[in-house]
Amino acid sequence: MNAEFKINGKQIETERLILRPFKQSDLNDFFEYASVEGVGEMAGWQHHENKDISQRILDSFISEDKTFAICLKSNNKVIGSLGIEKYGLEDKLTEFNNLKGREIGYVLSKDYWGQGLMPEAVKAIIDYLFVDLDFDFLTCGYFTFNNQSKRVQEKCGFKPYRKLELETQLGTKEQTLLNLLLNPSKKLNLVYSHPETLIYKK
Ligand SMILES: CC(C)(COP(=O)(O)OP(=O)(O)OC[C@H]1O[C@@H](n2cnc3c(N)ncnc32)[C@H](O)[C@@H]1OP(=O)(O)O)[C@@H](O)C(=O)NCCC(=O)NCCS
């Protein structure tokens, strides 16, 4: 099942980053990276045409309190986001019935790609959710054309779990690879449903 989750003021520090809740003063930094064409599109949403759109999404980040701002320590700039989202198809994926977990999603400013920053952020989040909050599992997906995101998930230990066709916010249908990471400190034996989309190997 989907775990309860709120950031609740939590701040996580890594070597180069601080992950913290979004605040209203992040609007300019958020718009700066979200308005670049070809960034959000890789995650299924359209780049922001104007600041009003960024403001609306920023308001939802703040009120829903489940999306971390990724802040670069060296210049104190918000350069991306990392969301602790609800995973979909909760009623169908019965293997998670007695377990608690979430799906993570992320975006990084194009100016900072290729420096290993997102794997650094994701590893810190995995540690927080598995060790401090005792989650059992995490899922994370990517459209099959998105090799960059695939690499992040591989570097963080996720394993191929299901192949699905999902509808995006852009109205397109995309082949999606869903990955799974089980909490390694627990000896979990899952009985997987829906073999027709399953590709998970222990
Ligand atoms: C996916 C994303 C978060 C990766 O973050 P990152 O911090 O750059 O991750 P890494 O530095 O580990 O690089 C990952 C891969 O991107 C590719 N890459 C690196 N630099 C790149 C660049 N400048 N341009 C394009 N791809 C690049 C490489 O294949 C790299 O894998 P490698 O380390 O095996 O060579 C970032 O590319 C992004 O925000 N993409 C758009 C949004 C998105 O796809 N979100 C995920 C939706 S599922």
Side-chain angles (χ1 to χ4, degrees), residues 173-186:
K173 283 188 178 160
E174 298 290 351
Q175 294 298 317
T176 303
L177 203 298
L178 198 59
N179 273 324
L180 175 63
L181 184 63
L182 297 174
N183 187 332
S185 73
K186 304 186 180 206

Side-chain angles (χ1 to χ4, degrees), residues 38-157:
V39 178
E41 279 81 359
M42 293 181 72
W45 51 269
Q46 200 186 349
H47 66 281
H48 298 181
E49 300 273 9
N50 57 60
K51 235 184 227 181
D52 290 346
I53 297 172
S54 302
Q55 179 68 66
R56 187 163 47 78
I57 308 292
L58 179 62
D59 288 344
S60 73
F61 282 171
I62 292 171
S63 67
E64 292 172 15
D65 199 30
K66 60 177 170 59
T67 303
F68 284 93
I70 301 176
C71 189
L72 192 63
K73 276 186 195 173
S74 63
N75 61 6
N76 218 19
K77 214 173 159 64
V78 173
I79 57 165
S81 69
L82 209 174
I84 316 301
E85 312 293 342
K86 288 189 169 172
Y87 69 91
L89 306 170
E90 190 178 25
D91 53 333
K92 296 201 167 66
L93 303 180
T94 52
E95 55 267 35
F96 299 140
N97 274 359
N98 299 311
L99 303 175
K100 59 174 190 168
R102 283 264 180 160
E103 178 164 320
I104 61 170
Y106 44 75
V107 171
L108 189 71
S109 163
K110 203 169 187 174
D111 293 344
Y112 297 88
W113 287 2
Q115 302 174 34
L117 287 167
M118 193 55 79
E120 184 173 320
V122 169
K123 283 176 190 166
I125 283 291
I126 291 170
D127 189 60
Y128 175 57
L129 297 178
F130 279 176
V131 178
D132 294 19
L133 300 188
D134 200 38
F135 279 23
D136 298 302
F137 70 92
L138 288 169
T139 64
C140 193
Y142 61 87
F143 303 139
T144 47
F145 62 79
N146 191 347
N147 190 57
Q148 296 163 228
S149 186
K150 177 186 184 195
R151 287 295 299 134
V152 171
Q153 294 171 42
E154 284 172 349
K155 290 178 194 182
C156 295

